[in-house]
Amino acid sequence: MVGKFPTSVIELSQTALRKNITFLRTYLPEGCEFCSVIKGNAYGHGIATYLPMVEKCGVKTFAVFNADEAWVAWNSARKSSHIIIMGDLEGVALEWAIENGLAMFVFNLERLKDAARIAHRMGKRARVHLELETGLNRTGLRKEELLLCKRFLDDHPDDIRIEGVCTHYAGAESIANYLRVQNQMVLFGELCGYLDEMGVSYGSKHTACSAAAIRYPATVMDMVRFGIAQYGFWPTREVRMDYVLKETDAGHDSSHDPLKRILTWKSRIMSIKDVNLGQFVGYGNSYLTTRRQRIATIPVGYFHGFTRQLSNLGHVLIQGRRCPVVGVVNMNLMQVDVTDTREAAIGDEVVILGKQRKAEISVGSFSDLTRVLNYEVLVRIPSEIPRVVVR
Ligand SMILES: *Cc1c(COP(=O)(O)O)cnc(C)c1O
């Protein structure tokens, strides 16, 4: 539902984004491309609002999962920007992508053939990145398939342009996968060598996501596909630790976090009431007042993406103070305790996620409490909530 009078808004900070991109560029050697991964509605930030913010920071390449996201990205992007579709794409969507010059990952022969056939009919060249299987075992071309691709490409020289070769690591954010990732790096090198031997020219090589770029410099190559880090989040606590240790070893001060959260999710107080000692609050009997308490109602519930799992667990910020959620989260509202925030009044700003004065509700605290991955907390923020750019 996209109405005109939303109960909450999401602010995106251009300053924070600029800082993140500047910091992440320090991992890129001269000439290495910054690719902004904006799948999952830009990790919940909202593609249409977020993409132009990234363009303002000088980034020209964007990666999405499917044609639906590509469509939104393409309609928000400058004509000079590039969009790469990394995953699902078929039928009329594939035709649309080729017609409009969007690039795509190719991870099986079927897609290569479909793309060539459509491109041929349109008198265009499909822009292709060959995705190589190196050990994730999800999508990707194995060595035998590369030989078949090579033969097919020789027969269709004018229909396909190979603009890149790439692969994706099976969890560069955790040291538990160290060996698997190292093996992937070696195999990627071998497969590129094989393409060289066969005389296939392939443009740029790219393998790294945020964690790989931060942790393993050898994965950086000609382009990095930065996802989570550009939004101001470390892929895992472990990656942050790795950064802090390296900075400390290099004699740098690592006490401040170079990644800044971009997103603030805000609502306001709808109503406040005093409740006497010994009363249950809201549905059922999960919360009993232990004194006379002031309870504020916020017009954001599980319908608006505030999970019920945070009933009696989550917090919001009011007047710079953390106020606990009391009772169960309802469909359209939640109740929070403002007894100790005496100044709280109807209409006050409520921060559900992000900073207010010196306090912060982090995505990490959401995910720690609900055991939902930080990536998942972000993408579950409904796309209907309006996104606005702030300084
Ligand atoms: C999501 C994704 C990325 C970005 O990963 P982050 O961990 O968010 O940096 C890069 N490459 C591919 C293929 C992806 O699917």
Side-chain angles (χ1 to χ4, degrees):
M1 205 188 77
V2 187
K4 196 173 161 54
F5 307 107
T7 65
S8 68
V9 295
I10 286 166
E11 293 181 355
L12 304 176
S13 162
Q14 182 75 52
T15 310
L17 174 63
R18 191 172 295 279
K19 284 184 179 162
N20 296 341
I21 291 181
T22 304
F23 168 69
L24 294 173
R25 280 209 168 108
T26 63
Y27 287 92
L28 308 184
E30 191 67 31
C32 179
E33 181 96 12
F34 190 113
C35 171
S36 166
V37 178
I38 51 168
K39 66 189 183 198
N41 199 24
Y43 291 51
H45 290 63
I47 291 176
T49 314
Y50 182 73
L51 185 149
M53 294 174 69
V54 184
E55 284 181 327
K56 274 202 185 126
C57 300
V59 173
K60 297 188 177 72
T61 305
F62 296 89
V64 295
F65 172 69
N66 64 0
D68 207 40
E69 295 175 341
W71 170 263
V72 179
W74 186 73
N75 281 299
S76 334
R78 297 175 186 161
K79 286 296 152 253
S80 54
S81 289
H82 300 291
I83 295 165
I84 308 174
I85 300 170
M86 303 188 291
D88 188 43
L89 183 63
E90 49 110 52
V92 288
L94 181 57
E95 290 178 17
W96 168 78
I98 292 170
E99 167 101 60
N100 291 288
L102 284 81
M104 70 197 80
F105 281 20
V106 159
F107 34 73
N108 55 39
L109 265 160
E110 290 83 349
R111 179 175 289 183
L112 190 66
K113 290 177 181 170
D114 284 349
R117 181 173 39 76
I118 292 166
H120 189 80
R121 200 177 68 217
M122 290 178 172
K124 300 243 174 195
R125 268 189 179 206
R127 302 172 55 181
V128 162
H129 293 244
L130 294 176
E131 187 189 3
L132 309 184
E133 176 57 72
T134 58
L136 180 60
N137 292 314
R138 190 172 70 178
T139 46
L141 297 153
R142 287 173 294 117
K143 192 172 179 183
E144 311 84 88
E145 293 171 303
L146 287 180
L147 178 62
L148 300 176
C149 285
K150 152 75 175 155
R151 289 192 187 136
F152 182 83
L153 290 168
D154 284 346
D155 292 340
H156 302 79
D158 300 325
D159 304 330
I160 301 278
R161 183 163 58 232
I162 307 293
E163 297 193 338
V165 280
C166 55
T167 198
H168 190 47
Y169 297 109
E173 66 283 345
S174 169
I175 201 73
N177 306 319
Y178 181 81
L179 195 61
R180 189 164 168 206
V181 169
Q182 293 296 315
N183 288 337
Q184 286 188 272
M185 288 162 65
V186 171
L187 185 52
F188 184 76
E190 285 172 11
L191 292 174
C192 289
Y194 182 59
L195 288 170
D196 289 333
E197 267 170 42
M198 293 193 296
V200 177
S201 59
Y202 47 71
S204 82
K205 291 197 263 194
H206 52 100
T207 67
C209 56
S210 305
I214 293 169
R215 234 183 184 166
Y216 307 117
T219 63
V220 167
M221 305 181 199
D222 304 314
M223 181 167 90
V224 172
R225 305 183 305 263
F226 281 114
I228 193 88
Q230 66 180 309
Y231 304 99
F233 300 95
W234 295 91
T236 50
R237 231 173 267 195
E238 206 183 298
V239 176
R240 166 126 201 233
M241 245 162 54
D242 188 70
Y243 162 79
V244 169
L245 290 175
K246 280 181 188 154
E247 284 298 285
T248 310
D249 282 350
H252 300 150
D253 171 27
S254 56
S255 55
H256 87 289
D257 187 349
L259 292 179
K260 312 287 176 206
R261 264 63 70 198
I262 294 172
L263 173 151
T264 310
W265 183 8
K266 288 182 177 174
S267 184
R268 64 199 146 67
I269 296 180
M270 174 177 111
S271 180
I272 298 187
K273 70 159 58 238
D274 291 314
V275 180
N276 281 333
L277 162 86
Q279 298 284 315
F280 291 118
V281 175
Y283 292 126
N285 54 9
S286 72
Y287 190 85
L288 184 68
T289 54
T290 52
R291 51 178 170 159
R292 189 175 163 80
Q293 283 173 240
R294 287 188 87 205
I295 308 289
T297 306
I298 321 298
V300 172
Y302 57 81
F303 167 63
H304 308 99
F306 193 91
T307 175
R308 241 180 131 257
Q309 293 174 59
L310 290 173
S311 298
N312 287 308
L313 270 183
H315 288 81
V316 300
L317 302 177
I318 295 168
Q319 301 279 356
R321 278 228 185 78
R322 290 170 69 82
C323 303
V325 173
V326 296
V328 294
V329 173
N330 294 185
M331 182 191 285
N332 295 93
L333 54 83
M334 67 174 116
Q335 291 179 281
V336 302
D337 182 16
V338 292
T339 314
D340 299 324
T341 310
R342 212 60 73 63
E343 18 0 334
I346 292 175
D348 274 5
E349 176 189 275
V350 176
V351 167
I352 297 162
L353 204 54
K355 276 195 179 140
Q356 194 186 53
R357 300 188 200 164
K358 290 201 167 76
E360 180 171 9
I361 305 285
S362 67
V363 169
S365 73
F366 255 61
S367 47
D368 287 348
L369 289 171
T370 57
R371 300 211 201 123
V372 174
L373 193 68
N374 54 358
Y375 290 68
E376 190 173 338
V377 171
L378 286 169
V379 301
R380 284 195 186 284
I381 301 173
S383 56
E384 293 85 2
I385 301 173
R387 271 69 172 167
V388 294
V389 184
V390 296
R391 209 173 58 81

